[in-house]
Amino acid sequence: MLKKDRKPANLFKTMSGIWWIRITGAPWIQLPAYFGKWNSVYRFFSRWTKRGLFKELLERMVRRYNRDRYKVIDATHIKVHQDACHFAQSPEQQGFGKTKGGRNSKLSAVTSSQGKLLNLKLVPGKQADIKSAVEVLGNVRNKIVIGDKGCDSDELRNHIFDNGGTVAIPPKKSRTRFVLYSECFGRMRYVVENYFCRIKRYRPIDTRYDRRADNYLSFVFLASSMDWLK
């Protein structure tokens, strides 16, 4: 077991090894020896994940660079590899869901109008987008919330209005009560789709190989933090 105050012998190589895994999606045991022992690199990654280091890195990026008044929300499905389907806990606790296409997860995310990640949550793939919308949006005071028809509900609209935000979500065809909506906001929804496309270029994000939700999310947080720097 690693001690609390232990640091990598070479931080650059350790982080480069984590980055190599993130890019290739290879098993940890196949990590090239140049980066050090694979189990040592994995232990540092796992320890930093438990401490929330990668999530904190993203949060610092958001606090430092985000000055946007828009919040664009959407969700995307993540295919789960068969090697990740060995559950030590309830599948739902680790963000696994079972659909017609097999096991999958869903990333519910909110971005700025530039397509930079502000917050996200990993949920089972069969869960409706609206269920995690309030938690993912966070503070909406003086913000314009943009989403698709999957986020159209009176409960979410009332939550945004009551907390000082503005709603820019198109109404469903089944909606009977009139709601005001401007198409000009709808044209901005592509930014969150572009964000999903960028992070899904990395194999361990596009396909989930990790059984633990926190390990998978660490790769997403790391990729999203680097996305802020572009």
Side-chain angles (χ1 to χ4, degrees):
M1 182 67 90
L2 293 172
K3 296 180 180 179
K4 275 190 175 182
D5 57 348
R6 182 178 173 185
K7 298 179 180 179
N10 190 317
L11 180 59
F12 176 78
K13 285 189 176 182
T14 299
M15 285 302 301
S16 296
I18 294 173
W19 192 260
W20 187 88
I21 292 291
R22 187 185 70 86
I23 291 175
T24 64
W28 285 95
I29 198 171
Q30 294 182 4
L31 184 71
Y34 167 80
F35 300 109
K37 294 182 179 179
W38 73 266
N39 55 341
S40 295
V41 177
Y42 172 75
R43 285 180 183 178
F44 280 112
F45 171 76
S46 181
R47 185 178 69 177
W48 291 338
T49 293
K50 291 177 181 177
R51 291 184 178 180
L53 183 145
F54 299 104
K55 183 178 181 180
E56 183 181 350
L57 177 62
L58 174 66
E59 291 172 348
R60 291 191 179 190
M61 291 287 183
V62 174
R63 288 196 299 268
R64 181 169 183 176
Y65 297 113
N66 184 46
R67 299 293 183 271
D68 202 359
R69 62 178 303 198
Y70 296 97
K71 285 194 171 187
V72 190
I73 187 170
D74 203 353
T76 185
H77 286 278
I78 305 295
K79 184 67 178 178
V80 175
H81 193 271
Q82 61 182 359
D83 291 343
C85 297
H86 303 285
F87 310 117
Q89 297 177 320
S90 167
E92 287 72 22
Q93 290 180 337
Q94 296 297 330
F96 290 106
K98 194 171 184 179
T99 62
K100 292 181 180 179
R103 293 282 184 186
N104 69 9
S105 298
K106 181 184 286 187
L107 276 177
S108 181
V110 58
T111 69
S112 66
S113 61
Q114 286 78 41
K116 304 300 184 180
L117 182 67
L118 303 178
N119 193 20
L120 61 73
K121 184 179 181 181
L122 186 69
V123 299
K126 59 185 177 182
Q127 180 173 302
D129 296 358
I130 193 66
K131 287 189 176 181
S132 56
V134 172
E135 182 179 351
V136 174
L137 281 172
N139 182 19
V140 294
R141 181 170 296 278
N142 299 323
K143 302 293 184 180
I144 299 175
V145 179
I146 301 173
D148 59 15
K149 293 182 180 180
C151 294
D152 179 31
S153 78
D154 291 334
E155 183 180 357
L156 179 60
R157 289 178 182 275
N158 292 334
H159 168 79
I160 295 172
F161 284 132
D162 292 344
N163 288 276
T166 304
V167 180
I169 298 174
K172 294 179 180 177
K173 290 184 178 180
S174 59
R175 175 172 284 279
T176 56
R177 184 171 64 86
F178 173 79
V179 294
L180 186 65
Y181 174 69
S182 174
E183 287 289 345
C184 66
F185 291 115
R187 298 189 187 100
M188 296 176 61
R189 292 204 304 268
Y190 75 94
V191 297
V192 67
E193 298 290 349
N194 287 356
Y195 161 73
F196 289 138
C197 288
R198 289 196 300 274
I199 65 168
K200 281 187 172 185
R201 289 172 180 166
Y202 305 104
R203 288 186 62 212
I205 296 178
D206 182 49
T207 302
R208 181 176 171 182
Y209 299 98
D210 290 288
R211 285 175 285 182
R212 290 180 48 176
D214 54 355
N215 281 352
Y216 174 77
L217 284 173
S218 287
F219 281 125
V220 181
F221 290 138
L222 182 58
S224 302
S225 298
M226 297 302 104
D227 190 48
W228 268 99
L229 298 177
K230 293 181 179 178

